[in-house]
Structures are given as C-alpha cells and as structure tokens.
Amino acid sequence: MDYLQDESAKLNLPDVRLMSEKFQPVGRDIFNQSHSASDFWFRIKLTNRQNSIQKYFFELTYGAVDFLDFYIVRDNKTEEYTAGDYRPFQVRPFAHHNPVLPVAMNPGENLELYVSVRTGSSVVLPFHLYSETAFREKDAWEQLLYGGYFGIMIIMFFYNLFLSLSLRSVSYLFYILYISVISLMNFNLLGFGMQYVWPDSLEFQNRSLPAFVCLGITFGLAFSMKLLNTGERMPRFHKFYFGLAVLAAVPAIVSAFGYFGGLLNRVTHLLGLIFTLSLIVGGVRSMLSGYKPARYFVIAWFVFLLGSLSFILRNMGYLPSSILTDNGLLIGSAAEVALLSLALADRINVFRRDKESAQREALIQKNAILDATARFVPEEFVSVLNRQSITDVSLGDSAERIMTVLFSDIRSFTTISEKMTPQESFSFLNTYLAGMVPLVRKNGGYIDKYVGDAMMALFADRASDAISCAVAMHLSLDEGRKLSENPGNALRIGTGIHTGRLMLGTIGEKDRMDVTVISDAVNVASRLENLTKALECRLIISAESLSDDAGRKFQVRFLGTEYVLGKTESVQIFEVLDADPPHKKEQKLASRSDFEKAVSQFEVGNIEDSTKIFAAINAEYPEDGPARSLQKRGMRLLRLREGMSAGERPDLW
C-alpha cells in the first residue's frame, strides 16, 4: 500500500494517477498522521492469481472518518463508491458498521484501488484486506464480541439502576449515567449508531461523539468523588476533580452548537488522558490511606488504561492489529465497568458495616444508659406502667395494682453513724445494701426507693415472696453476726410488710420528674416496721399479707389489732417467727398458744389477766421481746386505766 499526502486538498483521481511517482510506501499495518487538514490518497495494486472468481473485502476498522471515497480502476474504467460519517449510511457500498468495500476479481485480473480520506479527527487508518471467508469469520467473532460488550453494559445499567432505586444512592445514579454515556460513545465510535439508530442524522453522528466523551468524563468524576469520598478524605483532589468535571462539561455543551473538528477532538483526548491518570493517582492515594473500596477502583481504571493504551498503540502502529488490540478500548471499558461495580458494592458494604457498627455502638450506649437509668427507675416499675422502656414514660403516667410493700430499717443507725465520717457512712450503707438488695430480686421484688438507712421494696405476685425475702434478710444478718469478730456490735434491722392497693406513677414537672407510690398500704408497712422497735421483734406482717400460701409456709403468731395513724380501719398484725434464730423460734412456738390467749384477753379489755400471762411467758422465756414489751405496756395501762373514759379502747402500742 502506498500513500500520497494532498496538502491542498484539491486533487482528484486523474490528478493523483498522474503523480504516481510521488506515492510513498505506508510502511506499517496502520497509517497514522495524527490530526491533519490534508487529504490522503492510498493506492493498492491487486492481482487475482486464482483460477476462479475471487471476492475480497477492503475494510477500514476505524469508522470515525468524515469523508471516504473508493475508486476501483480496471481496464481503464473507474468504479466510484463513497462512505464516511458525513454521508448517509445508505450510500455505502456494503451495509456494515465499518466502511467496507467488496471487490470481485476475475481469474488473472489486475486492478488498482484508490482510497481518498478527509477527516477532522485523528488520521488513524487501519486498512485490512480479507478474502470473503476470512471476512465472514472475522465479522462473526466481532459481532459476538460486540454483543457481549453491550450485553454487559446493559446488565450493569439495569443492575445498578435497581440498586440506585432500592438504596437511594447518588453514587449509583452517577454511575448509571457514566455507563450510559460510555456505552453510547462506543456505540457511536463503532458505527452501530449510524447503521441502526440515526443513519441520516449526520450532524448528530459527528457532534455526539465528543459530547459523549466529555459527559463520560464529567459523570465519571462525579461518581469517583462519591465513591472515594474525596470531600472528606482528599479535599484537594476533590477540588481538582470538581474543576475537571466542570471543564469537561464545556466541550459537551459547545458541541451542541456546532462541530469544531480537530480542535474539539484534541481537547477531548487531552481531557480523557488527564481524567484517567488523575483517577488512578487519586485511587492509589486513597488505597494507601486504608480506604478498602479504592482497591477495585484503582484496578478498574488501570485495566481501562491498559485497554486504551493497547488501542492507541495499535493505531500508532506500535502494536500489531488483532482482536485484542483492535477492541482494547471495549475490553478495557467492560472490565472497568464490572470492577467499578465491585468497588461501588464494596463501598456500600463498608458504609453498611460502619453504619451497623455505629448502630451497635449506639445500641450499646443506649443499653448502658437504660441500664444506668434502671438503677434509679426499676424496669418492673416501667412494666407496671405498661411502657416498653423508660424513654416511653411520661409525666402523669400511672397504674393501680394490688402489691405487697416491704419496709426495712436499720436499728439505731443514727448512733452508729455518729462514729463514722460521711464517707464511711456511705460505704457502710452500700455494703449493707449490697447484701440485702439481691435477696429482694431473688424473691421476685424490686426496690422502689431508699430513704436514708431504710429501704422500700415492692412485690407484685405473692405476699409470701416478700415474707421469704424478709426472713432471708434477717437470717443473712445472723450469719454475718456469727462471722463477726464482735457479734455484740452486729447490724440489726426491723421489717414491716403489708399488702394492699397501690397507685404507681410519675410526679413532678416536665423537666424534673420522679416515680413514686401513693397508697395507705405504704403507710401501713412503714408503721409496722416502726412497731418492730416497740415490740422488740424482727418481722411484722399484716393479716392482708397472710395469705393461705404464707400461712402454710411460715410460722406466725398473732400480735393483736392496730389502728394505724391516719386510718379509721384497724389492722390485724402478726409476728413471723421464721425470721428469728432457731432457738428463739422454738421458744416462741412453745408459748404461742399462751401468747395468743394473752393477746385475745388484751383485745377484749381484760388487761390484768393478759398482763399476768405475758409475765409468765417472760419468766420462762426472757428473750421473748414481744411478751416482755406487752407485759410492760399492760402494767402501764393498768396504771392509766383509771384515767380513761368509759368505753375508750387503749392503744395497744
């Protein structure tokens, strides 16, 4: 193949044939003169050495050529055919996405083929001559390759469109736009657009290619900025990418108003090179900083660069023409799109893992806050209010329940604390409560409040649970007393238990509220706890707490009827003997019949007989605190009896 450069761009075929001696050999498989305003003429001499008619196909595998004219000269006769982007597709001598000229030759025939080329883009002319069989085989493989490429791009488009709609991610939106314009660019570049979609839209064919390239750069940069999170991770790169994206959008807009030939092509080529290299540099930096999604990103653009370079080097003649080098741009862009999808998916996964980690941390923090809150507001209290958590509780929430109240108080705590510093007092109380509160939880109760050295617990199920808890508390202190170096100074407590209807709820105002229990049952339980001091016993319960279950489970004795301060109805009270040490319990069980007889006498006003019975019990069992206490009170009441009015009932306590 020989060529002639027509710098004047005015020569015709007769002129060129007269300048035969000025033709020069091409020297390479692909003719490359970069951008040029000249016309180029090519001459190929063909001879059919076969004994049969042969059909050859002369193909230009780079279709971005403005004007292309074929001249077949045989027997001094000329056949003329035209092609090119600035001519309708229908005038081509062969319906193909690339300019193809079929040439039939008789046996032993000689002919000359002249090709005239004028274009505003790069003068890259990979001419190939095939036999009919070779052309059909090559074309079948190429169609398979192109179908696979555009199939991949369509799949990637709809796959990422689905993800964009489901995840509502801007990154996927930019990536979809990038896939779209890159697919349209290659669809145009390969000639399929002119063959199938816009065969008569010559202006669109020539203006759209640089527009697609520049829009691909703009959307690719927008997608990359989102993927690499350059705004936070690489602010300088973010500014550079943003400026380059805006700059690339300018030629796309300019191309809509006219075709500027070689200048616009040079600008788009330069922008494309800067675009690819800058993304690789930014991706490498992001990867080195520990950003995992950048791995696929760098590989994607590196593969795209390799594919583009192989295509460019083939056009420059440094690489031989093959199915890989001829289609390097397609292979590189398909691999790039697939790898960028992986990079985007990896980024989503990283963000999802980070989000899940943050949610776990937030949940842990929330649970820690709820756990800390539960130390002040019991979960059981929240449950009684029919709320899921403390965050759902509002001012004024309340609920009415029948519950058992346990009141417990340390004996002579004021005297004990006088010998301690404030810090020692707190330490003493916390040590004591650390042993008592678990017993409350173990028996199904929860602490409602602490009042100095006293504590109030609530039991929602059985009254026997509260009694079991109180018994365990007293026996636990007895066990500690045995282990104490000075048992005489061991801790002692009194406990009162009552069952009744309670109102639980929140009080205060919107910025400072508290949970509380409002009920006569609380006052009764507190009063019974105070009575343990006067009666010198450990545990007193009301008749309301002495259910059938408790009556079978515990040993009790009747202490009498009490009128609680503020109430008009009397309360029958009982001492739970199980809270005493074993030897005291045995003594009280032995005298229980006489003791309750004395109480009954006292109840009907026979104080003198009652006092005598208590005195007899006290003489036999001097450690019986209630018998001793009631004896003293009976003697005092006898002395005061003369001063009481007729029918007036003395207060037992």
Side-chain angles (χ1 to χ4, degrees):
M1 179 184 285
D2 301 324
Y3 82 95
L4 172 68
Q5 183 173 356
D6 175 15
E7 295 182 355
S8 67
K10 296 180 179 180
L11 298 178
N12 54 29
L13 180 62
D15 297 332
V16 170
R17 295 190 69 186
L18 294 174
M19 303 172 66
S20 178
E21 72 283 353
K22 292 186 178 182
F23 275 85
Q24 303 175 32
V26 172
R28 292 180 179 178
D29 293 337
I30 298 175
F31 182 80
N32 187 334
Q33 285 290 328
S34 186
H35 292 84
S36 176
S38 302
D39 285 359
F40 290 89
W41 288 82
F42 298 89
R43 181 181 64 187
I44 305 100
K45 296 180 179 181
L46 299 175
T47 301
N48 181 12
R49 294 184 174 87
Q50 304 296 323
N51 295 324
S52 60
I53 296 176
Q54 297 293 316
K55 191 173 185 179
Y56 299 97
F57 287 84
F58 184 74
E59 180 182 20
L60 175 60
T61 56
Y62 180 73
V65 175
D66 295 344
F67 299 96
L68 194 64
D69 296 291
F70 299 102
Y71 302 93
I72 299 176
V73 180
R74 61 176 117 198
D75 299 331
N76 291 322
K77 294 181 180 180
T78 302
E79 301 172 20
E80 183 177 349
Y81 304 94
T82 60
D85 289 345
Y86 266 81
R87 286 171 177 151
F89 184 81
Q90 292 81 0
V91 304
R92 294 190 180 189
F94 187 77
H96 196 270
H97 63 93
N98 285 330
V100 175
L101 176 67
V103 180
M105 298 182 68
N106 295 318
E109 182 181 14
N110 296 311
L111 60 80
E112 288 184 338
L113 173 62
Y114 289 89
V115 183
S116 173
V117 176
R118 177 185 298 173
T119 185
S121 61
S122 299
V123 185
V124 179
L125 304 173
F127 289 115
H128 298 278
L129 184 66
Y130 301 97
S131 67
E132 184 175 11
T133 301
F135 177 78
R136 300 296 183 189
E137 290 178 353
K138 188 259 330 174
D139 195 56
W141 279 106
E142 283 188 345
Q143 295 301 319
L144 182 63
L145 175 67
Y146 298 147
Y149 170 77
F150 288 110
I152 290 173
M153 300 301 277
I154 291 172
I155 291 172
M156 288 293 101
F157 174 86
F158 284 105
Y159 169 72
N160 288 283
L161 176 62
F162 172 77
L163 292 178
S164 176
L165 294 175
S166 60
L167 298 176
R168 298 181 181 179
S169 171
V170 178
S171 301
Y172 278 108
L173 176 61
F174 285 134
Y175 188 51
I176 291 168
L177 294 172
Y178 174 73
I179 292 174
S180 301
V181 295
I182 290 298
S183 300
L184 289 171
M185 178 194 76
N186 286 314
F187 197 70
N188 180 311
L189 187 63
L190 291 170
F192 291 113
M194 194 168 187
Q195 182 180 4
Y196 296 113
V197 183
W198 50 81
D200 299 318
S201 301
L202 304 182
E203 287 294 328
F204 181 80
Q205 170 69 16
N206 289 277
R207 294 183 186 184
S208 62
L209 184 58
F212 288 148
V213 172
C214 293
L215 288 176
I217 293 172
T218 298
F219 293 135
L221 285 167
F223 158 72
S224 299
M225 287 188 287
K226 286 290 183 180
L227 177 66
L228 298 178
N229 196 19
T230 55
E232 295 181 8
R233 301 180 62 87
M234 300 184 296
R236 292 183 179 179
F237 275 84
H238 184 79
K239 293 178 181 178
F240 177 78
Y241 289 159
F242 182 81
L244 186 60
V246 173
L247 184 62
V250 174
I253 298 173
V254 170
S255 65
F257 298 95
Y259 179 64
F260 295 89
L263 176 61
L264 198 57
N265 285 320
R266 292 188 187 95
V267 171
T268 56
H269 288 167
L270 179 61
L271 288 173
L273 180 62
I274 297 173
F275 164 69
T276 305
L277 293 177
S278 66
L279 288 181
I280 291 177
V281 172
V284 169
R285 177 170 178 181
S286 183
M287 182 177 65
L288 293 176
S289 68
Y291 189 57
K292 292 183 179 180
R295 297 171 299 176
Y296 294 111
F297 182 86
V298 172
I299 296 173
W301 287 107
F302 187 74
V303 169
F304 178 75
L305 182 61
L306 287 180
S308 302
L309 284 175
S310 68
F311 180 74
I312 293 170
L313 291 175
R314 185 218 65 165
N315 291 343
M316 297 176 66
Y318 293 111
L319 289 177
S321 178
S322 68
I323 195 169
L324 293 178
T325 56
D326 291 350
N327 300 285
L329 189 61
L330 295 184
I331 296 171
S333 64
E336 174 219 22
V337 165
L339 288 167
L340 286 178
S341 292
L342 292 177
L344 190 54
D346 194 31
R347 174 183 179 270
I348 296 298
N349 288 333
V350 168
F351 279 6
R352 182 174 296 162
R353 287 194 296 268
D354 291 344
K355 182 179 180 180
E356 289 174 352
S357 178
Q359 288 175 339
R360 283 195 299 271
E361 290 296 327
L363 183 60
I364 291 172
Q365 183 67 19
K366 179 181 178 181
N367 289 336
I369 293 173
L370 291 176
D371 289 342
T373 305
R375 299 171 189 170
F376 295 92
V377 181
E379 293 181 4
E380 295 85 352
F381 201 107
V382 177
S383 178
V384 168
L385 295 178
N386 198 27
R387 297 292 183 266
Q388 294 294 322
S389 71
I390 186 63
T391 57
D392 300 324
V393 176
S394 302
L395 183 65
D397 288 347
S398 62
E400 189 177 18
R401 294 287 188 276
I402 294 177
M403 304 181 76
T404 300
V405 182
L406 181 152
F407 238 97
S408 182
D409 183 56
I410 298 176
R411 293 286 175 263
S412 306
F413 178 73
T414 303
T415 304
I416 296 173
S417 63
E418 286 177 352
K419 302 175 182 178
M420 300 178 182
T421 64
Q423 184 60 43
E424 289 173 339
S425 295
F426 275 103
S427 178
F428 173 81
L429 281 175
N430 289 332
T431 301
Y432 158 70
L433 294 172
M436 299 296 103
V437 176
L439 296 175
V440 175
R441 287 196 294 267
K442 181 179 178 181
N443 287 278
Y446 60 92
I447 301 297
D448 173 66
K449 62 172 60 70
Y450 301 106
V451 184
D453 60 305
M455 69 176 185
M456 173 180 162
L458 301 177
F459 294 81
D461 295 331
R462 298 179 300 273
S464 59
D465 293 337
I467 300 172
S468 295
C469 173
V471 169
M473 291 168 60
H474 285 278
L475 296 183
S476 174
L477 291 176
D478 286 344
E479 190 65 27
R481 189 177 298 112
K482 292 178 183 178
L483 300 176
S484 175
E485 295 181 358
N486 187 1
N489 293 331
L491 193 64
R492 292 176 174 82
I493 62 173
T495 309
I497 295 175
H498 178 63
T499 302
R501 191 170 296 276
L502 285 70
M503 181 66 72
L504 299 88
T506 56
I507 60 172
E509 52 92 28
K510 63 183 182 66
D511 293 327
R512 176 64 175 92
M513 59 182 181
D514 199 358
V515 294
T516 191
V517 177
I518 301 174
S519 172
D520 287 339
V522 175
N523 298 331
V524 172
S526 176
R527 175 64 171 165
L528 297 185
E529 183 276 320
N530 282 325
L531 286 177
T532 61
K533 303 174 186 177
L535 287 174
E536 302 179 41
C537 62
R538 295 186 169 189
L539 174 57
I540 295 178
I541 66 173
S542 66
E544 287 77 3
S545 299
L546 190 61
S547 62
D548 292 341
D549 177 56
R552 291 190 300 268
K553 189 174 181 180
F554 303 101
Q555 297 293 337
V556 300
R557 65 179 182 180
F558 182 53
L559 293 179
T561 303
E562 165 66 6
Y563 284 88
V564 179
L565 184 64
K567 283 180 64 65
T568 58
E569 297 180 1
S570 61
V571 179
Q572 290 185 325
I573 60 175
F574 296 82
E575 178 188 12
V576 180
L577 306 181
D578 299 84
D580 285 321
H583 72 282
K584 285 189 176 182
K585 177 180 177 181
E586 292 177 3
Q587 293 176 3
K588 291 181 179 181
L589 286 173
S591 62
R592 178 166 58 181
S593 177
D594 292 337
F595 184 91
E596 292 183 344
K597 181 180 179 180
V599 172
S600 298
Q601 292 295 320
F602 191 95
E603 289 282 298
V604 297
N606 195 350
I607 299 175
E608 185 175 352
D609 290 342
S610 171
T611 303
K612 290 179 181 180
I613 298 173
F614 284 134
I617 295 172
N618 191 36
E620 186 174 0
Y621 305 112
E623 293 184 88
D624 191 335
R628 182 171 57 251
S629 178
L630 289 174
Q631 179 192 0
K632 293 179 180 179
R633 280 161 176 72
M635 294 173 63
R636 186 168 66 253
L637 286 172
L638 287 173
R639 291 194 297 268
L640 296 174
R641 190 172 186 179
E642 296 179 357
M644 296 176 61
S645 61
E648 184 178 355
R649 184 186 182 282
D651 189 340
L652 176 62
W653 319 124

